[in-house]
Amino acid sequence: MLAQDNVRILPAGGKLGVLVAGMGAVTTTFIAGVEAVKRGLAKPVGSLTQLSTVRLGKRTEGRSPRIKDFVPLAALEDLTFGAWDIFEENAYEAALHAGVLERPLLDQLRAPLEAIRPMPAVFDHEYVKRIHGPNLKPKGAKMEQAGMLMEDIRKFRESSGASRLVMIWCGSTEVFHKPAEVHASLQNFECGLKNSDPEISPSQIYAYAALQSGVPYANGAPHLTVDAPALVELARERNLPICGKDFKTGQTFMKTLVAPGLKSRMLGVSGWFSTNILGNRDGEVLDDPGSFKSKEESKLSALEQILQPELYPDLYKDVYHKVRINYYPPRGDAKEGWDNIDIFGWLGYPMQIKIDFLCRDSILAAPLVLDLVLFMDLAQRAGMRGVQEWLSFYFKAPMTAPGLYPEHDIFIQLMKLKNTLRWMRGESLITHLGLEYYD
Ligand SMILES: NC(=O)c1ccc[n+]([C@@H]2O[C@H](COP(=O)([O-])OP(=O)(O)OC[C@H]3O[C@@H](n4cnc5c(N)ncnc54)[C@H](O)[C@@H]3O)[C@@H](O)[C@H]2O)c1
């Protein structure tokens, strides 16, 4: 018997316009990567939407379609890109500047990349301190700036011929701010936009413009943006999906692999020291204490949530957890992340684990951007609105409903993601109980 979909999913016909705020290392690696895959020059390694399968039914049924054959996703050929940045370089020049992908590959993609010229940005030095660029919108009240972004979105929709749009923040990390009164409701927020309230960040102006234009919004950086009641309210009101925050790559990805493993065996942790060196523009921005604070908050929360010291005080009550990021220009985008983990086993005997991850930040982040864009478009067509917790898999600090702690364990996150896809298509959820095989 064919399964009956639980939600009505509109087809992925026509073009999907991908609007990216910030066109630096991650964005150019993502766009160039899609163009390279389209031309058969490389494989989309790291992308679930392109490579992963989803098991359906019992293990004996042998049904494991690719995710992209199971749910209707936009095809890579149907993606069209637009971006904003404070620098004027086109995507080809920006990719060369970022220094992630090699020139011979970029040269083969030169034409489509050169065609992407960043629109002038809404920018505020109070929120990102270390960089200065000329490609800015004229000064004005924050509501006027939102209006200018909405006009950009309207024009992009028209010129690209896209039938649907998705926006994702891949811009610099903004200075740490807690939610304020102006974020408490949509009414307060709109009033704050009119008065140019200093607590409203540029990324929140982009998010407001997106949602008001009927465009889903994903946040790849650790700052607040849509993780505020006012914007959640707007997303729900406009029936739009939102998600965030902070792509889970590099060191936190490793942390969320190792920590659930240690906990699953009831091994204790007394200390976890994490330090990074990186030399790209992201590293330069994170060298500012305000931006680092946003990142630190996001990185610290994962371990505590996974280990649950309140349930396991003997094992995790006093974990000494430290995270450091050091800007070290010679490394460029090739980050090095060290972890020293002090653990203890049977009768409290101590042991150590050392991880030295020589990673490439943007190479890890690009497939996440692709998956998020395609899944947010799917969610939009499936009528799913508000916070998309099933996309926690991609984030260091996943957004959740108020009062709910986020799920950080990557394997639970993956199960949640795949079960959501099964649920959409009316397939049975997989619980891994499996007693029926032994009746
Ligand atoms: N690469 C990773 O693994 C990873 C992981 C998690 C989060 N992130 C986050 O993703 C974001 C992008 O990272 P990246 O390495 O590409 O950084 P990057 O510095 O190379 O690119 C960011 C770009 O955003 C632009 N920008 C800043 N403020 C802007 C604004 N208001 N409007 C438009 N453009 C603006 C900058 O000019 C810059 O070109 C950062 O916030 C980073 O913290 C990256």
Side-chain angles (χ1 to χ4, degrees), residues 51-363:
L51 299 180
S52 181
T53 59
V54 53
R55 188 192 112 200
L56 304 177
K58 294 192 177 11
R59 267 181 275 165
T60 45
E61 290 178 33
R63 287 196 297 148
S64 289
R66 288 215 172 178
I67 287 178
K68 66 176 179 177
D69 298 325
F70 177 57
V71 284
L73 297 176
L76 297 192
E77 291 67 27
D78 289 332
L79 301 188
T80 170
F81 305 99
W84 292 270
D85 205 287
I86 69 168
F87 297 103
E88 287 165 334
E89 297 162 311
N90 63 45
Y92 172 75
E93 294 160 338
L96 283 179
H97 179 105
V100 178
L101 300 176
E102 287 165 359
R103 193 171 194 135
L105 176 64
L106 292 174
D107 281 344
Q108 293 181 73
L109 309 167
R110 189 167 180 154
L113 293 180
E114 273 184 345
I116 305 169
R117 304 187 159 277
M119 297 176 268
V122 168
F123 186 71
D124 182 348
H125 259 129
E126 289 303 313
Y127 278 87
V128 175
K129 296 202 194 284
R130 295 281 156 107
I131 52 174
H132 307 264
N135 195 30
L136 306 179
K137 295 216 182 297
K139 294 238 173 299
K142 293 189 174 180
M143 189 56 110
E144 284 168 35
Q145 293 184 319
M148 290 183 241
L149 290 172
M150 285 189 247
E151 186 54 18
D152 289 346
I153 295 170
R154 193 191 62 72
K155 283 192 186 143
F156 175 77
R157 200 191 289 272
E158 214 172 85
S159 64
S160 66
S163 57
R164 307 171 314 281
L165 303 179
V166 168
M167 194 190 290
I168 185 161
W169 178 274
C170 296
S172 308
T173 298
E174 296 175 336
V175 163
F176 180 73
H177 274 236
K178 288 204 162 83
E181 200 43 43
V182 72
H183 304 124
S185 70
L186 185 54
Q187 196 184 7
N188 288 9
F189 190 82
E190 290 187 327
C191 193
L193 281 174
K194 287 182 194 137
N195 303 330
S196 291
D197 190 303
E199 288 294 331
I200 297 182
S201 66
S203 67
Q204 290 181 319
I205 305 177
Y206 282 90
Y208 177 82
L211 297 173
Q212 281 294 15
S213 307
V215 179
Y217 187 96
N219 178 17
H223 50 232
L224 280 181
T225 312
V226 279
D227 199 1
L231 289 158
V232 175
E233 186 184 332
L234 180 57
R236 291 186 60 80
E237 198 174 275
R238 304 295 306 252
N239 284 325
L240 290 165
I242 49 174
C243 64
K245 334 186 276 266
D246 205 6
F247 300 130
K248 178 150 78 178
T249 58
Q251 199 167 53
T252 308
F253 168 54
M254 283 294 145
K255 214 167 254 182
T256 57
L257 293 180
V258 174
L262 295 172
K263 185 176 139 197
S264 70
R265 282 286 161 93
M266 291 286 104
L267 293 170
V269 178
S270 54
W272 198 310
F273 181 75
S274 305
T275 186
N276 296 269
I277 52 174
L278 80 165
N280 56 16
R281 194 182 279 156
D282 185 31
E284 193 176 352
V285 168
L286 292 173
D287 213 30
D288 170 68
S291 292
F292 173 67
K293 175 86 175 139
S294 296
K295 202 53 139 186
E296 188 184 28
E297 289 280 318
S298 151
K299 279 176 170 263
L300 286 176
S301 64
L303 193 60
E304 170 129 356
Q305 297 284 358
I306 291 175
L307 296 180
Q308 295 181 296
E310 67 291 354
L311 293 185
Y312 306 103
D314 289 343
L315 302 177
Y316 309 120
K317 182 166 54 81
D318 296 316
V319 179
Y320 189 88
H321 186 201
K322 204 82 196 156
V323 178
R324 288 266 173 268
I325 299 178
N326 302 286
Y327 177 51
Y328 179 61
R331 276 302 166 87
D333 199 63
K335 182 160 93 177
E336 184 159 3
W338 288 277
D339 284 281
N340 170 76
I341 315 161
D342 283 289
I343 66 170
F344 54 91
W346 185 239
L347 313 179
Y349 274 69
M351 294 170 262
Q352 289 182 16
I353 302 172
K354 313 275 180 189
I355 300 172
D356 185 4
F357 189 14
L358 293 122
C359 66
R360 293 172 189 268
D361 250 7
S362 307
I363 293 291

